[in-house]
Amino acid sequence: MNPPRSQQGFTLIEVAVVMLVIVIVLGIVSVNLEPDRETPVRDEARRMALLLQTAQEEAILQGKILAVSIEREGYYFLMLNDKNEFKPMKDDEVLRARPLPSGIVISSIDIEGLPENEKPRLILLPTGELPPFTVIFSHGDIRWQVEGTLTGEISSQAVSAPVKA
């Protein structure tokens, strides 16, 4: 007599369970890989805050006055030379001109004490002090702000949309 043969292969339920696990894992991975719409604006605001902190520390260490010229499409760093002229910091790898990515703009600049008709320029003193300021980055309806205080603190945060009555 022939001994009974054992079944080989998988049952339909086993295959279905494995497929379900694969679909769930792929769904989780695809959600985590797709950046949200806020990411580029948040990254640019955080980048500016970090660069301003770096420039502020550089002004303190060198004992020189630095400035940041802010425009709608980007910003660049300046240093006050011996002739009392602000010159771009072209040779500095970190504090170089920073154009904004496509679609992101600086929609608002408010620097305390700056006349309205003057080009927006944030002065960074060797004492670490700076005028209170707010710079708002926008991409469509998404807005992030970089904010500085008189004591020299610089931070970035999301700007909440105004509540409609």
Side-chain angles (χ1 to χ4, degrees), residues 59-80:
I60 293 168
L61 289 172
Q62 290 188 18
K64 296 198 175 197
I65 297 175
L66 301 182
V68 184
S69 185
I70 305 168
E71 300 173 352
R72 185 170 169 79
E73 298 83 24
Y75 51 97
Y76 55 95
F77 295 87
L78 308 159
M79 182 181 287
L80 189 66

mmCIF file of all heavy atoms in Angstrom, residues 59-80:
data_model
loop_
_atom_site.group_PDB
_atom_site.id
_atom_site.type_symbol
_atom_site.label_atom_id
_atom_site.label_comp_id
_atom_site.label_asym_id
_atom_site.label_seq_id
_atom_site.Cartn_x
_atom_site.Cartn_y
_atom_site.Cartn_z
ATOM 1 N N ALA A 59 28.407 87.297 13.399
ATOM 2 C CA ALA A 59 28.569 88.716 13.712
ATOM 3 C C ALA A 59 29.176 88.880 15.106
ATOM 4 O O ALA A 59 30.065 89.718 15.308
ATOM 5 C CB ALA A 59 27.227 89.437 13.623
ATOM 6 N N ILE A 60 28.727 88.074 16.043
ATOM 7 C CA ILE A 60 29.261 88.146 17.410
ATOM 8 C C ILE A 60 30.727 87.702 17.430
ATOM 9 O O ILE A 60 31.580 88.382 18.006
ATOM 10 C CB ILE A 60 28.409 87.275 18.360
ATOM 11 C CG1 ILE A 60 27.003 87.865 18.507
ATOM 12 C CG2 ILE A 60 29.085 87.143 19.729
ATOM 13 C CD1 ILE A 60 26.006 86.948 19.177
ATOM 14 N N LEU A 61 31.036 86.587 16.785
ATOM 15 C CA LEU A 61 32.403 86.051 16.798
ATOM 16 C C LEU A 61 33.394 86.977 16.102
ATOM 17 O O LEU A 61 34.519 87.156 16.560
ATOM 18 C CB LEU A 61 32.443 84.670 16.149
ATOM 19 C CG LEU A 61 31.792 83.544 16.946
ATOM 20 C CD1 LEU A 61 31.720 82.272 16.116
ATOM 21 C CD2 LEU A 61 32.567 83.285 18.229
ATOM 22 N N GLN A 62 32.984 87.543 14.971
ATOM 23 C CA GLN A 62 33.887 88.423 14.212
ATOM 24 C C GLN A 62 33.866 89.866 14.710
ATOM 25 O O GLN A 62 34.718 90.659 14.333
ATOM 26 C CB GLN A 62 33.527 88.404 12.725
ATOM 27 C CG GLN A 62 33.855 87.110 12.040
ATOM 28 C CD GLN A 62 33.669 87.219 10.534
ATOM 29 O OE1 GLN A 62 33.621 88.300 9.959
ATOM 30 N NE2 GLN A 62 33.572 86.072 9.892
ATOM 31 N N GLY A 63 32.871 90.206 15.505
ATOM 32 C CA GLY A 63 32.737 91.579 15.970
ATOM 33 C C GLY A 63 32.391 92.530 14.845
ATOM 34 O O GLY A 63 32.782 93.692 14.856
ATOM 35 N N LYS A 64 31.660 92.031 13.855
ATOM 36 C CA LYS A 64 31.300 92.847 12.685
ATOM 37 C C LYS A 64 29.785 92.922 12.561
ATOM 38 O O LYS A 64 29.058 92.086 13.067
ATOM 39 C CB LYS A 64 31.898 92.242 11.419
ATOM 40 C CG LYS A 64 33.401 92.249 11.438
ATOM 41 C CD LYS A 64 33.954 92.064 10.074
ATOM 42 C CE LYS A 64 35.463 92.199 10.161
ATOM 43 N NZ LYS A 64 36.063 92.426 8.893
ATOM 44 N N ILE A 65 29.348 93.928 11.818
ATOM 45 C CA ILE A 65 27.912 94.088 11.556
ATOM 46 C C ILE A 65 27.580 93.371 10.254
ATOM 47 O O ILE A 65 28.193 93.620 9.216
ATOM 48 C CB ILE A 65 27.534 95.580 11.464
ATOM 49 C CG1 ILE A 65 27.807 96.262 12.805
ATOM 50 C CG2 ILE A 65 26.074 95.735 11.059
ATOM 51 C CD1 ILE A 65 27.584 97.764 12.798
ATOM 52 N N LEU A 66 26.621 92.465 10.334
ATOM 53 C CA LEU A 66 26.119 91.762 9.157
ATOM 54 C C LEU A 66 24.691 92.219 8.901
ATOM 55 O O LEU A 66 24.038 92.772 9.786
ATOM 56 C CB LEU A 66 26.152 90.248 9.362
ATOM 57 C CG LEU A 66 27.508 89.603 9.650
ATOM 58 C CD1 LEU A 66 27.345 88.094 9.780
ATOM 59 C CD2 LEU A 66 28.511 89.928 8.581
ATOM 60 N N ALA A 67 24.212 91.956 7.712
ATOM 61 C CA ALA A 67 22.834 92.285 7.361
ATOM 62 C C ALA A 67 22.293 91.202 6.434
ATOM 63 O O ALA A 67 23.054 90.466 5.805
ATOM 64 C CB ALA A 67 22.760 93.642 6.683
ATOM 65 N N VAL A 68 20.985 91.130 6.382
ATOM 66 C CA VAL A 68 20.305 90.225 5.461
ATOM 67 C C VAL A 68 19.354 91.068 4.634
ATOM 68 O O VAL A 68 18.469 91.733 5.177
ATOM 69 C CB VAL A 68 19.511 89.130 6.212
ATOM 70 C CG1 VAL A 68 18.893 88.160 5.234
ATOM 71 C CG2 VAL A 68 20.383 88.412 7.208
ATOM 72 N N SER A 69 19.564 91.065 3.329
ATOM 73 C CA SER A 69 18.671 91.771 2.421
ATOM 74 C C SER A 69 17.601 90.773 1.978
ATOM 75 O O SER A 69 17.926 89.697 1.472
ATOM 76 C CB SER A 69 19.459 92.301 1.227
ATOM 77 O OG SER A 69 18.614 93.078 0.417
ATOM 78 N N ILE A 70 16.342 91.128 2.174
ATOM 79 C CA ILE A 70 15.236 90.203 1.933
ATOM 80 C C ILE A 70 14.403 90.698 0.768
ATOM 81 O O ILE A 70 13.954 91.847 0.749
ATOM 82 C CB ILE A 70 14.362 90.065 3.194
ATOM 83 C CG1 ILE A 70 15.236 89.652 4.390
ATOM 84 C CG2 ILE A 70 13.252 89.056 2.975
ATOM 85 C CD1 ILE A 70 14.545 89.771 5.727
ATOM 86 N N GLU A 71 14.196 89.818 -0.197
ATOM 87 C CA GLU A 71 13.377 90.119 -1.370
ATOM 88 C C GLU A 71 12.289 89.065 -1.501
ATOM 89 O O GLU A 71 12.319 88.053 -0.816
ATOM 90 C CB GLU A 71 14.258 90.150 -2.620
ATOM 91 C CG GLU A 71 15.356 91.205 -2.543
ATOM 92 C CD GLU A 71 16.332 91.131 -3.694
ATOM 93 O OE1 GLU A 71 16.269 90.181 -4.492
ATOM 94 O OE2 GLU A 71 17.175 92.038 -3.775
ATOM 95 N N ARG A 72 11.372 89.289 -2.397
ATOM 96 C CA ARG A 72 10.244 88.368 -2.585
ATOM 97 C C ARG A 72 10.697 86.960 -2.997
ATOM 98 O O ARG A 72 10.127 85.980 -2.580
ATOM 99 C CB ARG A 72 9.287 88.950 -3.634
ATOM 100 C CG ARG A 72 8.028 88.146 -3.818
ATOM 101 C CD ARG A 72 7.027 88.911 -4.673
ATOM 102 N NE ARG A 72 5.926 88.082 -5.086
ATOM 103 C CZ ARG A 72 4.891 87.761 -4.335
ATOM 104 N NH1 ARG A 72 4.812 88.212 -3.102
ATOM 105 N NH2 ARG A 72 3.919 86.995 -4.804
ATOM 106 N N GLU A 73 11.749 86.878 -3.809
ATOM 107 C CA GLU A 73 12.177 85.577 -4.350
ATOM 108 C C GLU A 73 13.370 84.976 -3.617
ATOM 109 O O GLU A 73 13.881 83.943 -4.026
ATOM 110 C CB GLU A 73 12.548 85.710 -5.834
ATOM 111 C CG GLU A 73 11.414 86.152 -6.727
ATOM 112 C CD GLU A 73 11.230 87.668 -6.719
ATOM 113 O OE1 GLU A 73 12.193 88.391 -6.409
ATOM 114 O OE2 GLU A 73 10.110 88.116 -6.994
ATOM 115 N N GLY A 74 13.861 85.639 -2.558
ATOM 116 C CA GLY A 74 15.000 85.094 -1.837
ATOM 117 C C GLY A 74 15.637 86.126 -0.929
ATOM 118 O O GLY A 74 15.094 87.199 -0.697
ATOM 119 N N TYR A 75 16.811 85.801 -0.431
ATOM 120 C CA TYR A 75 17.516 86.697 0.474
ATOM 121 C C TYR A 75 19.012 86.437 0.360
ATOM 122 O O TYR A 75 19.447 85.387 -0.099
ATOM 123 C CB TYR A 75 17.048 86.512 1.921
ATOM 124 C CG TYR A 75 17.046 85.079 2.399
ATOM 125 C CD1 TYR A 75 18.118 84.579 3.136
ATOM 126 C CD2 TYR A 75 15.984 84.216 2.133
ATOM 127 C CE1 TYR A 75 18.126 83.264 3.583
ATOM 128 C CE2 TYR A 75 15.984 82.920 2.569
ATOM 129 C CZ TYR A 75 17.056 82.446 3.300
ATOM 130 O OH TYR A 75 17.071 81.150 3.728
ATOM 131 N N TYR A 76 19.807 87.451 0.757
ATOM 132 C CA TYR A 76 21.253 87.292 0.718
ATOM 133 C C TYR A 76 21.877 88.062 1.875
ATOM 134 O O TYR A 76 21.301 89.000 2.417
ATOM 135 C CB TYR A 76 21.839 87.720 -0.631
ATOM 136 C CG TYR A 76 21.502 89.103 -1.076
ATOM 137 C CD1 TYR A 76 22.366 90.166 -0.825
ATOM 138 C CD2 TYR A 76 20.319 89.368 -1.757
ATOM 139 C CE1 TYR A 76 22.064 91.452 -1.247
ATOM 140 C CE2 TYR A 76 20.007 90.643 -2.172
ATOM 141 C CZ TYR A 76 20.884 91.686 -1.912
ATOM 142 O OH TYR A 76 20.573 92.958 -2.313
ATOM 143 N N PHE A 77 23.068 87.620 2.251
ATOM 144 C CA PHE A 77 23.761 88.156 3.414
ATOM 145 C C PHE A 77 24.803 89.181 2.985
ATOM 146 O O PHE A 77 25.445 89.042 1.948
ATOM 147 C CB PHE A 77 24.413 87.016 4.203
ATOM 148 C CG PHE A 77 23.402 86.083 4.791
ATOM 149 C CD1 PHE A 77 22.910 85.012 4.063
ATOM 150 C CD2 PHE A 77 22.920 86.281 6.072
ATOM 151 C CE1 PHE A 77 21.956 84.161 4.592
ATOM 152 C CE2 PHE A 77 21.968 85.437 6.621
ATOM 153 C CZ PHE A 77 21.483 84.371 5.878
ATOM 154 N N LEU A 78 24.966 90.209 3.816
ATOM 155 C CA LEU A 78 25.888 91.311 3.557
ATOM 156 C C LEU A 78 26.777 91.523 4.789
ATOM 157 O O LEU A 78 26.374 91.205 5.904
ATOM 158 C CB LEU A 78 25.107 92.601 3.285
ATOM 159 C CG LEU A 78 24.018 92.532 2.222
ATOM 160 C CD1 LEU A 78 23.018 93.656 2.401
ATOM 161 C CD2 LEU A 78 24.649 92.597 0.856
ATOM 162 N N MET A 79 27.962 92.088 4.554
ATOM 163 C CA MET A 79 28.845 92.446 5.651
ATOM 164 C C MET A 79 29.254 93.904 5.483
ATOM 165 O O MET A 79 29.543 94.355 4.379
ATOM 166 C CB MET A 79 30.085 91.556 5.675
ATOM 167 C CG MET A 79 31.020 91.866 6.844
ATOM 168 S SD MET A 79 32.512 90.851 6.868
ATOM 169 C CE MET A 79 31.829 89.287 7.393
ATOM 170 N N LEU A 80 29.286 94.634 6.594
ATOM 171 C CA LEU A 80 29.704 96.028 6.578
ATOM 172 C C LEU A 80 31.229 96.068 6.505
ATOM 173 O O LEU A 80 31.919 95.502 7.352
ATOM 174 C CB LEU A 80 29.209 96.741 7.843
ATOM 175 C CG LEU A 80 29.372 98.248 7.881
ATOM 176 C CD1 LEU A 80 28.482 98.914 6.828
ATOM 177 C CD2 LEU A 80 29.028 98.774 9.263
#
